[in-house]
Amino acid sequence: MTDNNRLATASNDDIAAAVARLAEASASGVPCAPVRDLIGRNDLAAAYAVQAALTQRRLAAGARITGRKIGLTSPAVQRQLGVDQPDFGVLFDDMAYTDGDALPAGRILQPRVEAEIAFLLRTDLADGPLDTAQVRDAIEYGVAALEICGSRIAWWDISLGDTVADNASAGAYVLGTQAHTLGQVEPVDVTMTMSIDGEEVSTGTGADCLGDPVEAVVWLARTARDLGEPLRAGQVVLSGALGPMRPVSPGSTVTATLSGLGAVTVGFSEGAAA
């Protein structure tokens, strides 16, 4: 990832301290205090610099980037945090699960689940206008997906700076098996229902994700390129929640059904992290 420290108003020492605090929380499994005391609530350059440094640590330890996730796509959540734009985080290979898998409950700190559409890219999004037409052409297919968000920050006490620094609260993701092109399913028209242990807990539509999940990818493509790490062919993009996220407990099973894209399910075992 690119180094954005030169753009941040927080000092390099404060950025390094935020990195150390979040890394310790991740390694110990004990959530930490927010990092906004170090990098501010809304200093995006500082927050993405922390995220980039943590990404470099993951890569140095052998992790592989599989894509990106978009967060804060809901207007209600944006209002709650006092922001007017989404954020993004990095997806790694050890975050990926498939439909029907069981995820050890201790694998994710303070897990919350949301349903969304995931896209697989068939071409890079590095050059050109990165407009809607180009992004649509770059998408190979979409699938139903569950994102398990996790916060390394205690009690989810987050500002925009906290969640961006904490890799946009990325934890894990589960992809469905029914792949469809944009010619087969129009993302903005998708309707979603999500249940936990058979009880409906969240509903929404494609229009609830920045007006259209494809437009969320347009935003991401431009932002990622501006930060020096454009989207690449073969990457997965989690385009953002279609409805409210919900907390999940060990022993629970979560299923989301998205019209035209089928269902996707994940269980949460009683075991600790692997």
Side-chain angles (χ1 to χ4, degrees):
M1 302 290 287
T2 189
D3 183 354
N4 298 305
N5 291 29
R6 67 186 185 278
L7 304 175
T9 58
S11 71
N12 287 339
D13 286 346
D14 284 340
I15 289 170
V19 170
R21 185 181 297 177
L22 289 166
E24 172 60 23
S26 182
S28 67
V30 178
C32 64
V35 296
R36 55 184 175 267
D37 62 314
L38 297 167
I39 63 169
R41 299 181 63 90
N42 297 299
D43 186 341
L44 282 176
Y48 279 116
V50 173
Q51 184 188 119
L54 290 167
T55 295
Q56 287 298 333
R57 287 188 175 210
R58 292 294 316 276
L59 295 175
R64 181 175 58 85
I65 293 175
T66 55
R68 309 284 177 85
K69 63 149 288 183
I70 309 171
L72 303 179
T73 55
S74 161
V77 175
Q78 289 184 5
R79 287 193 297 270
Q80 180 182 9
L81 291 180
V83 300
D84 60 0
Q85 63 178 298
D87 69 349
F88 75 84
V90 180
L91 301 177
F92 298 97
D93 53 344
D94 63 354
M95 295 180 177
Y97 291 81
T98 56
D99 184 29
D101 280 349
L103 193 154
R107 168 77 173 75
I108 309 297
L109 287 178
Q110 307 179 108
R112 299 180 179 184
V113 183
E114 58 189 29
E116 50 199 273
I117 301 172
F119 297 110
L120 183 78
L121 300 180
R122 66 180 184 84
T123 59
D124 291 351
L125 285 169
D127 301 308
L130 301 185
D131 56 12
T132 302
Q134 182 180 355
V135 167
R136 289 182 67 92
D137 186 64
I139 292 172
E140 185 170 354
Y141 59 76
V143 297
L146 290 167
E147 181 184 355
I148 301 91
C149 300
S151 183
R152 270 60 63 174
I153 294 168
W155 309 111
W156 279 86
D157 178 15
I158 57 173
S159 67
L160 177 62
D162 294 306
T163 187
V164 169
D166 189 25
N167 198 27
S169 303
Y173 63 97
V174 187
L175 300 182
T177 58
Q178 296 187 33
H180 293 279
T181 68
L182 298 188
Q184 296 171 313
V185 175
E186 188 58 55
V188 71
D189 295 330
V190 168
T191 60
M192 177 279 295
T193 60
M194 185 175 78
S195 65
I196 299 178
D197 298 328
E199 179 182 355
E200 185 178 284
V201 296
S202 181
T203 63
T205 71
D208 294 321
C209 176
L210 280 187
D212 184 339
V214 173
E215 292 306 314
V217 182
V218 171
W219 172 86
L220 174 64
R222 292 172 174 173
T223 303
R225 183 174 67 178
D226 288 347
L227 291 175
E229 290 290 340
L231 300 177
R232 298 297 183 184
Q235 290 187 339
V236 173
V237 174
L238 300 181
S239 59
L242 304 187
M245 71 166 68
R246 298 300 184 200
V248 67
S249 303
S252 292
T253 299
V254 181
T255 298
T257 301
L258 280 66
S259 62
L261 296 173
V264 56
T265 297
V266 67
F268 292 83
S269 70
E270 301 282 350

